[in-house]
Structures are given as C-alpha cells and as structure tokens.
Amino acid sequence: MKRSLSMALVLCLFLAAMPAIGIDGYPKTIVDSSNRSIIFDNPAERIVPIVAWSYEPLYILGAQDKIVGVEKGSKAQYAYLPGIEDRPVVGTYREPDYEKIIELKPDLVIVQPKYLAQVDEKLTPLGINVVCLPFNQQSAFDGELCTLADILGPEEKERAQEFISWKKGTLDSLKKDVDKIDASSRIRVYGEWSDTPWYTGSKLSGLDDVITLAGGDNIAGPLNPEENLSLRYPTVDPEWVLKENPQAIIFPAFDYFTGYLQQDANNATQLIQQAKVREGLNKTDAVRNDRLYVLDAYLVEAVRGFIGAQYLARLFYPEEMADLDPEAVHKEYYESWLHVAYQGLWTYPEAG
C-alpha cells in the first residue's frame, strides 16, 4: 500500500512538473540568421530590439508589450507606434548601452550580423539570449519572422502564418503582372541611398530585392556575382554609372525626405533636382526622361520591402501596372497589422 501511495505521489509530482519540462515545447532550441543555436527555457517575455527593422515584425506578431527598451534611432522613427515613446532608450545599434540593457533584464536581445559578436560577448555570459535576426532581406524575411514567433509562443506563431499568407497574396498579384513584361523590355535601374552618394546595393541587398521584385534589372546586381554577404553594398564610380546608363534611378530615403510623419515633398523634390545635375547621372537616360524617384527606405530594407516593390512596379511600368494599387496594400498593412492609422509620404513622385 505504501508503495502504491509513493508511486502515486511521484506520478502527481511528475504531472505537475510537465509544463516546466516540455509540455509547452520548452526548453526550445532555435537557429538564428547567423546559424547559431540558442536555447530558450521559456517563451521570451522581455525584449530589447537593437535592430531597427525588428520593430514592425514585433508589432505584426502582437508582441509590442514585450518590448522593454528601444534603440535610439528607432524611438524617433517609430514614435507613432503605441508604447514606443514610453520605453527607455538602450543606446544605438552601433553603440548599445549595455548597463541599461542589463538593468532591464531582457530574455531576448535582437541584433544584426555586423554587431553580433560585440553584443554577444557582453550579454550572453550574463544569461541574456542574443539572437541575430536582421529582417533586411525579402528572401529571408518569412523564415526570420517564424523564428521570432517560435521564440515568443503559439499565438505569435499563428499570427506569423496569417501575415505570411496575406503578404504572399499581394506578391502573387504583383508577380502575375511582372511576368507579363518581356525580358527585353525590363527597365534598367540604379539605386542609391539618399544620404551616401554612389552607395548602392548589389545581390543579397534589400535594394536589389525590391528592384527585382518590381520587374527591374538592377545594374549593380552583377557586382556581387558570388552572392557574398560582405559585398552587398558596394560604392561605385560616377563613370561606371554613366557607362551602365540606367533608365531609372531610385533613392531610398529616410525621414527628412519621406516617412510616416512627412507632410510635404519639398525635400524630396530638392533631392531629385540636385541629382539631375550631378556628374555621372546628368547624362543618363533616367535623367533625360525624368525618371528619378524617391522611395522611403523602410519600403526597401525592411519588412515592407514587398510593398516597396509594388510602388516601384507602378513607377517603372505605369501602363502595364495600371491596376496595381500599392497604396491600398500599404494602408491595409498599417491598419490591420500595425494597428495605427495610415498616413505619410512614401514615394516621390507619387506612384499612381
């Protein structure tokens, strides 16, 4: 009898302990974008995103309340997102404030590859999980979103699948139209970051992703023939651009020119006017035919790259893409996934 009671007691204790030893899928091992394996004993509840591109994914997954500290530039960029202004600053993505991060006791810090080693060295020995999820390539985004959702829990995993399905639907419509464009008619495009002359994007860059999705040929794509991550962002010469003679030029730009809080196109207009007279650009077909465009950088190098591609497709092929409505997709994204009212200046000239 005593043996039966003892066995029953052990069984009860075992059942009571089951959630802690794996009934909810934890401990769980995830593999991040730097191919590192990280073990989570429990779902992440306190998050410090150092990567600017990781804020929107967290809001998409409904995990915004788990953000306990914000990167300085992201706090300014995302001031319109509920809760961001109330969160303490944890330094910049280049120079994190480690003392502040440690004080906040996060169980997840999100970093990008370039700064992974230094953050990992400071925080991992303290038991803080450092995960590399850059969210800056369209081809890798879905997998990274699922990885983040896997860290957070089952509700977030379901939300991730819903978003990916919705996003795929919009991209399927775009691809259907782009596939109708003859290869010989694809527009040749040069992209340059608005704050750094001659700094472009080759293969594996977000810039190349959106140009290609939009049905354009990125003239800088071949500069990274082996698809080396370290060669994604080359600096080119004016003579090279003139020789390649792009038919369209796009400038991914930040808040001074575009964005959620931008109300007029004065700065974007000035950027284009200055570009038209620059040596290396002024004699290209793009300038001759007045095909210079400003596109918000968050529609290029982030989750919204798939929407940026739709804006570009409309700008590149206004007749062929007359039925494409990137503004409607963008509005639905803001209101259904970020849960904030849609506004802002996102392209100049406006697409459509």
Side-chain angles (χ1 to χ4, degrees):
M1 182 67 175
K2 287 182 179 181
R3 179 178 175 81
S4 298
L5 287 173
S6 297
M7 290 297 294
L9 179 58
V10 169
L11 180 60
C12 288
L13 289 172
F14 175 76
L15 291 173
M18 279 187 71
I21 64 172
I23 195 171
D24 294 324
Y26 292 87
K28 175 178 293 184
T29 301
I30 66 97
V31 179
D32 71 4
S33 297
S34 289
N35 203 32
R36 297 158 62 250
S37 296
I38 301 104
I39 298 174
F40 283 82
D41 293 326
N42 297 288
E45 295 292 341
R46 299 179 62 81
I47 305 170
V48 171
I50 298 179
V51 182
W53 312 132
S54 63
Y55 286 80
E56 288 181 46
L58 285 165
Y59 274 73
I60 287 170
L61 298 179
Q64 59 268 27
D65 291 342
K66 297 181 180 182
I67 298 173
V68 295
V70 298
E71 188 266 339
K72 183 178 180 181
S74 300
K75 184 162 188 172
Q77 170 64 31
Y78 288 120
Y80 61 88
L81 288 178
I84 290 294
E85 289 218 354
D86 300 330
R87 302 294 190 271
V89 171
V90 294
T92 69
Y93 68 93
R94 287 192 180 99
E95 297 181 352
D97 183 342
Y98 293 109
E99 289 187 8
K100 188 63 180 179
I101 293 173
I102 294 167
E103 176 188 320
L104 293 170
K105 299 179 180 178
D107 43 30
L108 170 62
V109 173
I110 304 174
V111 299
Q112 57 182 295
K114 187 174 181 179
Y115 302 101
L116 171 61
Q118 67 185 55
V119 178
D120 189 45
E121 181 182 2
K122 293 283 188 179
L123 300 180
T124 298
L126 301 178
I128 298 173
N129 286 314
V130 176
V131 175
C132 179
L133 294 172
F135 291 112
N136 64 347
Q137 284 182 264
Q138 288 302 301
S139 59
F141 177 83
D142 291 357
E144 290 176 343
L145 186 69
C146 289
T147 298
L148 178 58
D150 207 27
I151 293 169
L152 297 175
E155 290 185 10
E156 288 83 357
K157 288 176 69 173
E158 183 176 348
R159 181 86 169 159
Q161 292 303 321
E162 290 172 356
F163 176 78
I164 290 169
S165 178
W166 172 77
K167 173 187 150 186
K168 183 179 183 299
T170 72
L171 280 175
D172 285 347
S173 297
L174 172 64
K175 187 177 185 301
K176 184 177 179 181
D177 289 335
V178 166
D179 285 347
K180 296 177 183 177
I181 299 169
D182 187 85
S184 62
S185 301
R186 289 171 66 97
I187 191 167
R188 289 169 49 77
V189 184
Y190 169 62
E192 178 185 290
W193 296 97
S194 64
D195 56 353
T196 314
W198 313 115
Y199 186 57
T200 187
S202 61
K203 289 289 185 183
L204 297 186
S205 69
L207 189 52
D208 185 75
D209 285 344
V210 297
I211 291 172
T212 304
L213 282 171
D217 284 334
N218 177 20
I219 65 170
L223 297 180
N224 188 11
E226 302 299 323
E227 298 193 6
N228 188 325
L229 285 173
S230 65
L231 300 178
R232 288 182 297 171
Y233 302 103
T235 298
V236 296
D237 295 322
E239 295 79 10
W240 177 84
V241 176
L242 181 59
K243 180 183 176 182
E244 293 296 320
N245 192 22
Q247 298 166 295
I249 299 171
I250 63 169
F251 297 96
F254 290 95
D255 300 344
Y256 182 72
F257 303 100
T258 54
Y260 189 85
L261 302 176
Q262 189 61 254
Q263 298 180 349
D264 63 62
N266 293 337
N267 297 330
T269 302
Q270 185 178 15
L271 173 63
I272 287 180
Q273 293 305 320
Q274 291 172 345
K276 286 180 177 179
V277 297
R278 279 170 49 193
E279 291 290 333
L281 300 184
N282 58 353
K283 295 181 181 180
T284 61
D285 285 348
V287 171
R288 290 193 187 98
N289 296 313
D290 199 24
R291 303 204 67 181
L292 284 74
Y293 310 111
V294 178
L295 177 70
D296 189 77
Y298 280 73
L299 289 167
V300 176
E301 205 66 20
V303 50
R304 280 181 281 148
F306 75 100
I307 302 176
Q310 297 179 54
Y311 278 111
L312 287 182
R314 186 68 188 270
L315 291 167
F316 292 165
Y317 309 104
E319 294 181 6
E320 295 89 336
M321 305 289 175
D323 294 333
L324 198 65
D325 193 352
E327 188 105 33
V329 176
H330 205 183
K331 185 174 187 292
E332 184 176 358
Y333 171 82
Y334 262 91
E335 297 181 355
S336 297
W337 297 100
L338 300 185
H339 300 292
V340 293
Y342 174 74
Q343 65 176 53
L345 176 71
W346 302 105
T347 67
Y348 182 80
E350 293 187 24

